[in-house]
Structure formats: structure tokens, C-alpha cells
Amino acid sequence: MSDARYADTAPAGGYEFAAGQGYLLPSYPFIAPPELGSDRPGRHDIVIVGAGLTGLTLACALASLGVRAVVLDEDDTVGVRGASSRGICYTQKSLEIFHRLGIHERVAARGVQWSVGRTFAGSDEVYRFDLRQQAAFHLSMQPAFINIQQFYLEGYLVERIAELGHVELRWKNRLVGFEQDEHRARLAVQTPAGGYTIEALHVVDASGSHSPLRRWAGASFDCQRGDDRWCIADVRFTERPPAERHTWIEAPFNEGRAVWQHLMADEVWRIDYQMAPDSDPAEISREDVVRARLARQFGADREIELVWVGPYAYRSECIDRMRHGRVFFAGDAAKVVSPFGARGGNTGIADADNLAWKLAAVLRGQAGPALLDSYHDERHEAACENVRVTRRTARFLRPADGAPRRLRDAVISLARQHPFARALVNTGRMAVANAYTRSRVCGPGGGQSVQNVAFRWADGSTGCVNDLLRWAGGRLLLLRFGDLDPPAQQRLRAMTGATPLRCVQVLGPDGRPDATEHVRDVNAAGVGHLQAACHVFGHAWALLRPDGYLAATGEQCDASLVHAVERALGLAAGASPTARAVSGMGGNR
């Protein structure tokens, strides 16, 4: 078996795969923090604990908004030393976020796109899909999925943070103590050169499911621990299988248990084998046992290189509140789900994207404190939904004896012959952009994600929604479809002058602009998708947040729009500069 090897210094490009040697990952240098040796604690607005996928996404999002932050991580590399590739499948919403942060091209160049998924029960194919035939995925500039090892993403985020500045990454800095009051949080940190203390207005716990911050902050959990056991094998073939996702509910080569098969970057395949509940972890991951298992699946004559092998078991849990005082919980620190449907890493990325713009807006004085409270509203709803969905998949893959097993067997039997039953086969509902139905800052029509669709700039060049969000620079973005009468134009100018809001007029192919900032809702193929992506029709407006979610939609640029802006920023109704500016013009009626 190939051992994972780590270079003393970062290889070219940050990390790489070397055939026969495993993964070569970087070692980032320890740099003594300025607080070392000082009697006074350093003071920072934001401290992020954990430089994993969630923490680095948050750090990169803050850096892209020009917000300073400090990241603490007890390790000195991306990924986990001696561990596998971890998360591998990243959905369209995550890819859209990476595009906005400036790393999508690196991800797409290294990763593997796929569209065909096939599900088997025994030797029978009971379900098949091809995402190329699903029109909903075609609107975005990003593909439906890319498979890539998680440490690559983390490494690209480290690179991008260095390019953007503003955020300080502190490697080999371990959090050892925490306390908070109504003014600040105080963190004790240990390093190879000694300990120090820092204070922060806001702390984000992105350090994973074993974080001590959850205990120190007094968080509680709804937790379920199953007895399901799995063994992962990351392998390379001299003759590769088809670049499709294959799943077996009852694999004949795995004693009738489930198997997953995914292609990742570097021609490495992830094979997940469901094991017996009483399996010994050391036994099921022994090299000779793993090779025998692979031979049963692919044939004894197939030449296979083992890149990494390891057992795992999972639990399912969800935190009671995403915010405890000055601490925000994100990623696996907030919820842990089984791996079915790629709902772990993708939801951590969404947590980070949701929180970053809210912290930036509050620190800049552009938003009220209710905006930070909305992080719990939105991401706790998403966490609960993802826990519910993955628990349901786990029950289907390993049903209890009695009625649950009879129901599962009946679904499989029907799916072999009848198309209607195939939708009931549950090997993992893929992660989606969760809707926010309980958010205190979303108004009518709000809470839906807007895909990164294409349009034409005024000069005829191609743009996309993320270009507009970057142009807005962390402000709310108002897309108004169609033209306005002169009084409405005047009210809108007053509104945008008094609020962290940028406005763009969206026209059809033949529409006439009445604003300097305008685009045409037509892409390179001559089709308009922007209005449909915003879920509005005709003369209307859509208020878009920096995370690509709708805050609200409406028809008239009147008091309803003013109220939507105030609500989206967590401001008291009627007290904002927006309301005063528009009310002074008689525009609030």
C-alpha cells in the first residue's frame, strides 16, 4: 500500500499526486504571532478556529470583501495527515461560490465532471440518471457536479487567501481556552513557541465535530449514533472503469451490502464498501482483505494501486443553535451527517458563504444585529433538513428488521420492473441549495438561491450573476426588470444613494435603457435566463444578497422595496436612511 507522504515544503502548485507515492501535501510554516511575549492580548474583529474546508471558505469570502480576520489551526497542512481524500463531490451551488471567490478555474482544471449515475440491486440496474438531460442544471455557468479531493480545495483556498490579503493564517496555533462576555470573546492559544491570548468581537468555530468550543460555549446536540460500518479504498487502475457514479444497494461482490464507486482527480477512484455492523476496523482495512474485496468486484487480473484505505463509522447530530453569544458554529462543528448525497462539505461551504457577508455588513455599520441572528434561522433550517434527508437514506441502505426491511425489499423489487418505483430508491439525495423559509431577513419571494446564469453587458460582452455580485462589493443588489416612470426613477436614485445597495436595470433584447448600469437578459445562445433565475416575470424587481440568495421580490419600486431592503439588512422598519430619503420625496406611499 502506498503511504501518504508529506513534503517539508510545499511542492509546486501547493500539493500534487505522485504515482506510487500517494499524496504529497504541503507543510505551511509556523510564524510567531505578534502577541507572543506580550502581556496584552491582541484584539481582532473576527477569529476563525479551524483551517478546514469551512473555515478556509469563510476566510476567503471575508478576504474577498476586504474584511480582516485571523484563522487558527493546530496543524500545518491541508487535509488530515495520514487520512484519505475525505469529501470528493461538490455541487453546483458550491462551485458557484468558488467561482465568486476566484478558485473555480483551478477546481475545474483538476477535478472530474460527471453526469451519469447508475444504481444497481444485485446485477440489475434499477435507476439511472443523466444530468445532461436535466434542463435545470444547464442554466448556471457551473456544471452540476465536480469530483475532486477535499485537500485540493483547501489548498486552492489557501493560495487565494494569500492573493487577496486581509486574512492571517496561523498554522500550529491550537486553541486551549475560551471565555466570553457581552463585550468580547477571549481565546487562549498554544504554539510551538509558547502561548498567548487574543480577543475577538466574533468567533467562528469551524474546527469540526470534536471541537471543544461546543462544550465551552454550552451548546447541546440532538445526536444519533448508528452501528453501520464502512471501508473506503482510494485506488488507481491501469484500465479505468467508466467515468460514472455507480452505486449498489445489494452488491453481489460485497456480501449483498452497499457499494459506492466515484472517480476523483488524478485517476483515483473512491470505492466505499458497507461492512457488517460488528466488523473489526483493523480487519476490514487490512491490505490483503481490501485487495480480495477489490478482486471480487473488478476481477483478479485487474492491476490496482492502493492509494489509501481506511474504515469509518458515522453519526448524525445537529446543534441546538448556530450562535451562542459571540460564537458562530459552522460546518461539522454545527452538524454532522452521514456521507450520502455529499451533504457534509457542501453545506459547510454554504454556512461560510452565508455568514461572511453578514459579518462584513455588520462590521461596516451597514446592517443591524438582527442580520447576524438570521444566520441561525437560515443555516439551522438547512442543517436540520440535511440531517433528516441523510438519516432517511441510512435507514434505506440498512433497514431494521421487520416492516422497514420488507418495505425496502418491495421498493427494489418494483423498481426492477416499474419506472414509478425508481424514484423511491434512496442511495443518497444529492445536496442542493437549501431554501430559507424561516428567515427573519427574507421578505416575500425571498429565500431562494439564484443560479449563476449568463447575460450580456451593455457593450455586448458576456457576464454572469457572480460578476454583478462582485461589482456590488458586498452590498445588496437590486435587479429591476423593465423600465420605470420618472418619479419611480427618482425614488430609486434616492434609495441607492442612502443605502448599501447597487441597482442594475435588466432589459430584453430590444428594451431601451433608462439607467447607466444596465444589462440585457440574453446569453450567448440568444436566450434569457436571468429573470427566470430570480423567479419573477414582467415588470418586477429582485433584491439579491451577496451570497446569491433572494432577499425579496416585488413589482413596484415603492414602500415594499424599502421595507425589503431594511429587513434584508436587519434594520428597524422606517428608521433607515433609505426610508428617510424616500419618505422625504413622498415615495413611501
Side-chain angles (χ1 to χ4, degrees):
M1 184 186 302
S2 299
D3 294 325
R5 303 179 187 275
Y6 299 84
D8 293 331
T9 58
Y15 32 80
E16 60 188 25
F17 179 84
Q21 299 182 53
Y23 299 115
L24 304 177
L25 302 180
S27 290
Y28 300 110
F30 166 73
I31 299 174
E35 293 89 350
L36 273 175
S38 173
D39 294 332
R40 302 183 65 180
R43 289 195 167 186
H44 304 275
D45 288 335
I46 301 172
V47 172
I48 302 167
V49 183
L53 183 57
T54 300
L56 290 171
T57 300
L58 174 62
C60 192
L62 290 170
S64 71
L65 295 169
V67 177
R68 296 191 175 277
V70 171
V71 181
L72 307 176
D73 195 90
E74 62 185 16
D75 208 344
D76 65 349
T77 189
V78 292
V80 177
R81 290 199 184 279
S84 75
S85 45
R86 304 184 75 192
I88 64 167
C89 183
Y90 298 92
T91 61
Q92 190 171 85
K93 180 61 179 179
S94 294
L95 299 173
E96 290 173 341
I97 293 169
F98 293 150
H99 178 264
R100 193 175 346 116
L101 297 181
I103 68 166
H104 178 262
E105 288 187 358
R106 304 175 218 202
V107 175
R110 192 83 185 202
V112 175
Q113 294 186 31
W114 63 277
S115 61
V116 175
R118 303 172 67 189
T119 298
F120 302 88
S123 58
D124 297 326
E125 182 176 308
V126 295
Y127 184 70
R128 179 189 180 101
F129 63 83
D130 188 342
L131 298 174
R132 291 169 297 188
Q133 299 173 1
Q134 298 184 21
F137 289 106
H138 296 171
L139 302 183
S140 176
M141 300 285 282
Q142 276 62 57
F145 299 100
I146 288 181
N147 280 11
I148 187 171
Q149 293 86 324
Q150 181 175 321
F151 58 76
Y152 278 125
L153 297 180
E154 295 175 4
Y156 297 150
L157 289 165
V158 170
E159 294 171 1
R160 184 62 176 153
I161 290 167
E163 294 166 4
L164 293 168
H166 305 295
V167 170
E168 180 186 356
L169 297 176
R170 297 187 179 183
W171 306 101
K172 304 297 288 185
N173 280 243
R174 183 167 63 93
L175 180 67
V176 294
F178 167 83
E179 58 185 20
Q180 64 174 326
D181 56 31
E182 66 272 20
H183 303 295
R184 286 185 177 271
R186 192 178 182 93
L187 300 91
V189 185
Q190 189 64 39
T191 79
Y196 65 93
T197 302
I198 54 174
E199 294 179 346
L201 288 176
H202 306 288
V203 177
V204 182
D205 182 9
S207 59
S209 60
H210 300 291
S211 165
L213 264 170
R214 304 197 302 183
R215 182 179 71 256
W216 294 338
S220 61
F221 282 83
D222 166 35
C223 181
Q224 291 184 11
R225 186 182 297 273
D227 60 357
D228 218 4
R229 298 291 181 269
W230 293 75
C231 183
I232 297 174
D234 289 351
V235 303
R236 282 166 57 97
F237 301 96
T238 53
E239 182 182 345
R240 60 177 260 182
E244 302 172 347
R245 189 195 81 160
H246 288 184
T247 60
W248 286 263
I249 306 168
E250 299 171 330
F253 48 83
N254 190 41
E255 299 178 332
R257 299 188 180 92
V259 174
W260 269 255
Q261 179 178 306
H262 280 271
L263 176 62
M264 303 181 287
D266 311 313
E267 296 290 326
V268 177
W269 288 80
R270 159 73 60 81
I271 318 292
D272 292 52
Y273 294 99
Q274 187 182 39
M275 298 283 98
D278 57 352
S279 297
D280 174 44
E283 172 68 18
I284 63 175
S285 56
R286 252 181 34 217
E287 180 171 356
D288 60 323
V289 174
V290 173
R291 286 195 177 278
R293 193 179 300 132
L294 288 164
R296 288 195 297 271
Q297 180 176 358
F298 297 102
D301 57 344
R302 180 74 67 93
E303 186 177 340
I304 296 175
E305 175 190 354
L306 290 179
V307 178
W308 184 88
V309 170
Y312 78 89
Y314 59 81
R315 66 185 188 275
S316 177
E317 63 185 28
C318 188
I319 200 168
D320 58 345
R321 286 180 288 132
M322 302 287 282
R323 181 184 186 184
H324 281 254
R326 297 194 168 273
V327 183
F328 299 86
F329 294 92
D332 286 354
K335 53 89 186 66
V336 178
V337 298
S338 56
F340 313 121
R343 289 175 179 257
N346 286 287
T347 55
I349 293 165
D351 289 346
D353 194 46
N354 183 288
L355 183 58
W357 77 271
K358 296 176 179 178
L359 287 170
V362 170
L363 289 172
R364 290 170 174 168
Q366 297 172 340
L371 182 60
L372 293 182
D373 292 331
S374 74
Y375 172 69
H376 168 79
D377 300 342
E378 296 174 355
R379 296 312 301 165
H380 190 261
E381 179 183 10
C384 291
E385 171 67 7
N386 289 312
V387 167
R388 183 187 67 82
V389 170
T390 52
R391 282 178 178 174
R392 184 176 294 174
T393 300
R395 290 195 298 269
F396 185 86
L397 292 174
R398 189 167 176 271
D401 291 335
R405 181 168 293 279
R406 289 195 297 272
L407 176 62
R408 202 279 296 269
D409 292 346
V411 167
I412 294 173
S413 178
L414 287 168
R416 286 186 166 100
Q417 303 178 51
H418 303 289
F420 82 88
R422 291 166 192 166
L424 303 175
V425 175
N426 188 350
T427 59
R429 307 306 189 201
M430 297 304 294
V432 296
N434 294 91
Y436 303 143
T437 66
R438 306 172 190 169
S439 175
R440 70 192 71 190
V441 297
C442 287
Q448 299 291 328
S449 178
V450 175
Q451 287 183 297
N452 187 33
V453 299
F455 56 79
R456 293 285 190 181
W457 292 105
D459 63 3
S461 60
T462 299
C464 62
V465 169
N466 275 345
D467 293 329
L468 290 173
L469 294 176
R470 283 192 287 258
W471 173 73
R475 304 175 184 88
L476 298 177
L477 175 66
L478 179 64
L479 301 177
R480 62 178 183 87
F481 298 88
D483 52 12
L484 296 175
D485 57 38
Q489 292 180 40
Q490 191 176 7
R491 288 195 299 271
L492 193 56
R493 282 195 293 271
M495 186 184 306
T496 55
T499 304
L501 176 72
R502 301 204 75 171
C503 179
V504 173
Q505 182 186 16
V506 183
L507 299 170
D510 303 319
R512 300 185 64 179
D514 58 38
T516 303
E517 291 83 12
H518 68 274
V519 300
R520 296 197 179 274
D521 191 8
V522 55
N523 63 19
V527 179
H529 291 308
L530 185 54
Q531 192 165 21
C534 292
H535 309 283
V536 295
F537 303 94
H539 282 67
W541 55 262
L543 188 61
L544 195 57
R545 310 186 328 182
D547 61 353
Y549 270 80
L550 288 171
T553 62
E555 295 181 356
Q556 301 296 325
C557 292
D558 55 13
S560 65
L561 175 54
V562 176
H563 296 158
V565 171
E566 292 175 331
R567 183 174 181 176
L569 294 174
L571 300 171
S576 69
T578 303
R580 291 194 294 271
V582 177
S583 179
M585 301 176 58
N588 245 352
R589 298 185 181 277

